[in-house]
Structure formats: structure tokens, C-alpha cells
Amino acid sequence: PLLLLELTMLTIGMALLLAALFVKYRDVGQIWDVGSQLLFYSTPIIYPITLAPEHLRVALLSNPLAQIIQDARYVVINPTSGTGMEQLDGLVRLVPFAMVIVVFVAGFLVFNRAADRVAEYV
């Protein structure tokens, strides 16, 4: 349930942020297409993070979606694959969680600020 909560917070934060920005800046849709492709290819979905080279693991797991998928793989499919937390050291472990919270809070604040002016831009 905590993984679902983390994924839900990330999704809602991105949706609120993109919804508020897309109304005012139409190019956000095209930028998001490229960004989502980069996010997809930088997330180890099909393979566990342990198959990635050692020097790339920290960079891959700094993506919050990669950490969520790795932890879900550990819980649901293969407990020997390890969690995202086991692959990171020290305070770097908190980066994916902090990014989820920052995205959620930023999306909420931007959406609330832009919500009353949405009708002006449409």
C-alpha cells in the first residue's frame, strides 16, 4: 500500500502540474511527450536494477519511478532482486522520496494558483 501511495502522489502531482501549465503554455504537451519518453527509457521496467552497471545504478534510482518499480518488483515478483533502498547509500536514499513530495506539493500549489484563471486562457 505504501508503494501505491507513493505512485499515486507522484501521478497526481505531475497531473496537476501539467494540467495547470498546459492551459497557459500549449507547448508543454510536446515537451511532455519527449520527457515521458526519456522517463520511460531511464526506468528499469523489464530488467531488475541489479542488471544495470554499478556506476549507473545511482543515476537510474534517482528517478522516483525507477525506485517505485524496483520496490514493487521486490514485493510482488522476486525478493532476491533487492529494493531500491538497498542499492543506494546514505542520504541519497531519500532523493526519490523527496522528489515525489516536491512534485506533489509543486503540482498542488501551481494548480491552486492557476485554477481561478483557467477560464481566461481557454
Side-chain angles (χ1 to χ4, degrees), residues 3 48-50 57 61 66-76 78-89 93 97:
L3 291 173
I49 196 70
T50 53
R57 288 185 189 169
L61 284 173
Q67 182 265 328
I68 294 168
I69 289 174
Q70 182 64 31
D71 289 349
R73 178 181 288 116
Y74 173 78
V75 170
V76 176
N78 187 6
T80 60
S81 67
T83 64
M85 295 289 274
E86 293 172 354
Q87 305 295 325
L88 300 174
D89 297 326
R93 292 180 179 187
F97 299 113

Side-chain angles (χ1 to χ4, degrees), residues 97-109:
F97 299 113
M99 288 177 71
V100 168
I101 291 170
V102 166
V103 166
F104 182 75
V105 170
F108 184 76
L109 293 174

Side-chain angles (χ1 to χ4, degrees), residues 7 15 23 28 33-34 50 52 55 64 71 79 82 91 100 108 117:
L7 182 61
V23 172
V28 170
D33 287 341
V34 174
T50 53
H55 63 280
D71 289 349
L91 291 177
V100 168
F108 184 76
R117 295 186 308 263

Side-chain angles (χ1 to χ4, degrees), residues 5 8 22 33 64 106 120:
L5 176 67
T8 304
F22 185 74
D33 287 341
E120 296 173 9

